[in-house]
Amino acid sequence: GAVVSQHPSWVICKSGTSVKIECRSLDFQATTMFWYRQFPKQSLMLMATSNEGSKATYEQGVEKDKFLINHASLTLSTLTVTSAHPEDSSFYICSANRPLAGVDEQFFGPGTRLTVL
Amino acid sequence: GNSVTQMEGPVTLSEEAFLTINCTYTATGYPSLFWYVQYPGEGLQLLLKATKADDKGSNKGFEATYRKETTSFHLEKGSVQVSDSAVYFCALRPIQGAQKLVFGQGTRLTINP
């Protein structure tokens, strides 16, 4: 099946610093990628929809200036957590929509665990 | 609004036991329903899906039937294996053609030999 990678798989940073997480579709082109956040023992919550070449669409309650999303190519989307604080510590998961697989199939990355000290 | 509720885990079973993981949903209209599985260290993978009432999705011995009358999509398997140990997520897609998914909280399944 289609493969989506994320880098890094985990990161620890100091409060106030910014962290960039990459999401790549390795064997297909993805016009649309999604970013999710998952708290322990809780559901995946959609943060934003990232469309190649245009601005991301953020879900209600997600701060655009806090979570910067860039989808500069058909195989790469990045999520930058700016001025991170301990409450931003979470598991961040991306997914990529593969058009040939049908409208409703998303392929997920393995996730990135962010810990802010 | 749209929401998905799964049975709380963790669930621990012995090999060859019968598995049921309950999933109920709230949605307007007729959503598509999905089960995803996440094996340790890997991304979520689509396990099965159903797009309309009474549809049965099946894959790898797992089955789930779209029950509109009870707004449910329970996951079942007749005889589980150790390799089925994973976290299982029920999800819905609210509108035909839309791409957004709404997930349940996930159920961790552990199968002991």
Side-chain angles (χ1 to χ4, degrees), chain A residues 57-74:
Chain A
T57 303
Y58 290 81
E59 295 299 300
Q60 193 172 9
V62 178
E63 299 175 59
K64 301 178 184 182
D65 297 331
K66 175 76 171 175
F67 300 99
L68 300 179
I69 291 172
N70 184 284
H71 193 161
S73 79
L74 288 172

Side-chain angles (χ1 to χ4, degrees), chain A residues 1 8 11 21 23-24 27 33 38 41 57 59 71-72 76 89 92 95 110 112 115-116:
Chain A
V11 57
I21 301 170
C23 177
R24 294 181 184 272
D27 54 355
M33 290 183 172
Q38 185 180 27
K41 298 184 180 180
T57 303
E59 295 299 300
H71 193 161
L76 174 64
S89 298
Y92 293 88
S95 70
T112 297
T115 301
V116 184

Side-chain angles (χ1 to χ4, degrees), chain A residues 32 38 43 59 103-104 106 109, chain B residues 43 49 93 97 99-100 103-104:
Chain A
T32 304
Q38 185 180 27
S43 175
E59 295 299 300
V103 176
D104 58 355
Q106 292 182 25
Chain B
K49 66 181 180 182
R93 181 166 57 86
Q99 298 170 347
K100 294 182 181 180
F103 284 91

Side-chain angles (χ1 to χ4, degrees), chain A residues 13-31:
Chain A
C13 69
K14 293 182 179 179
S15 186
T17 61
S18 295
V19 174
K20 180 184 285 188
I21 301 170
E22 294 184 348
C23 177
R24 294 181 184 272
S25 55
L26 297 184
D27 54 355
F28 66 101
Q29 293 182 328
T31 54

